[in-house]
Amino acid sequence: SPQAKRRREFRAAVAGVEAKRRKKIAAVEPKKEDPESAAMAAKRAEVSTAIAEGKLDEAGDRYAELVESFGDREGAAVLNRRAQYTHAGHLYRAGRLELAAEAFGRYLMAFPTDDERGEIGLLLSRVQRALGRLDEAQGLLENAVLELGDPALKDVALGELEQVRAELSAKGA
């Protein structure tokens, strides 16, 4: 009968829609994570939460744990762009230079097309210089000079680059 045919067509259409819906849900459902990935995500969430709550010293402690435990995994110790920048800047101001170098360096790796690369490179060069890593500071300053759009900041970077080159040649003498 025509009515039976319509019912079959309707059931087939509903089944097709259901199958597509299940497929979409499966695509966005979180995959079963291995325990290490879950632990890494939890630790990164602790860092982000501490930053969001303004507990920047605590965030630094959690970040140190994150780097220690998972720093060898790509992207493990990278937060969202703004949090990573805020966090790295706080570490620098707090004198936690090794961690600041980690955070700024990971920022540059994670966000290679960022508009603030030059500024971040300049800051990281200062951290590396304070840690006595003049070769790294020189490379960062050379890149910063090319990437900085602000003429005043470019002049600062050029001045610091001259100082680092002088320190390196004095060290080599």
Side-chain angles (χ1 to χ4, degrees):
S1 85
Q3 194 174 9
K5 182 181 177 212
R6 277 198 305 274
R7 278 195 301 259
R8 280 193 307 275
E9 288 171 346
F10 180 75
R11 279 194 301 269
V14 168
V17 168
E18 262 309 296
K20 280 184 182 173
R21 189 181 73 78
R22 280 192 303 275
K23 198 173 181 181
K24 279 183 182 174
I25 289 171
V28 296
E29 275 182 344
K31 305 285 182 262
K32 294 285 184 260
E33 279 192 309
D34 62 280
E36 188 178 354
S37 292
M40 180 182 74
K43 185 58 69 181
R44 195 169 39 233
E46 287 176 18
V47 177
S48 296
T49 299
I51 291 169
E53 292 174 353
K55 299 174 181 171
L56 298 181
D57 291 329
E58 181 184 320
D61 295 339
R62 299 293 85 76
Y63 190 75
E65 294 166 6
L66 178 65
V67 169
E68 175 69 29
S69 301
F70 306 104
D72 58 335
R73 290 182 65 164
E74 187 177 334
V78 178
L79 312 169
N80 72 55
R81 185 181 159 280
R82 189 50 39 206
Q84 188 79 13
Y85 180 80
T86 300
H87 180 59
H90 176 76
L91 291 168
Y92 175 56
R93 287 186 301 279
R96 296 179 79 173
L97 299 182
E98 285 290 344
L99 271 181
E102 279 282 340
F104 279 131
R106 289 174 188 271
Y107 184 103
L108 290 175
M109 284 191 293
F111 307 106
T113 60
D114 191 87
D115 291 342
E116 296 178 20
R117 277 188 70 76
E119 290 90 337
I120 303 234
L122 179 59
L123 288 170
L124 180 53
S125 74
R126 291 175 175 175
V127 174
Q128 297 292 25
R129 193 170 169 198
L131 290 168
R133 300 175 187 151
L134 296 177
D135 290 328
E136 287 92 337
Q138 179 179 338
L140 287 159
L141 286 165
E142 288 168 351
N143 286 337
V145 166
L146 298 173
E147 293 172 339
L148 284 165
D150 180 329
L153 278 179
K154 193 177 286 233
D155 284 347
V156 168
L158 281 167
E160 291 185 21
L161 181 56
E162 280 180 39
Q163 292 171 0
V164 167
R165 285 180 174 157
E167 288 174 40
L168 275 168
S169 70
K171 201 174 165 187

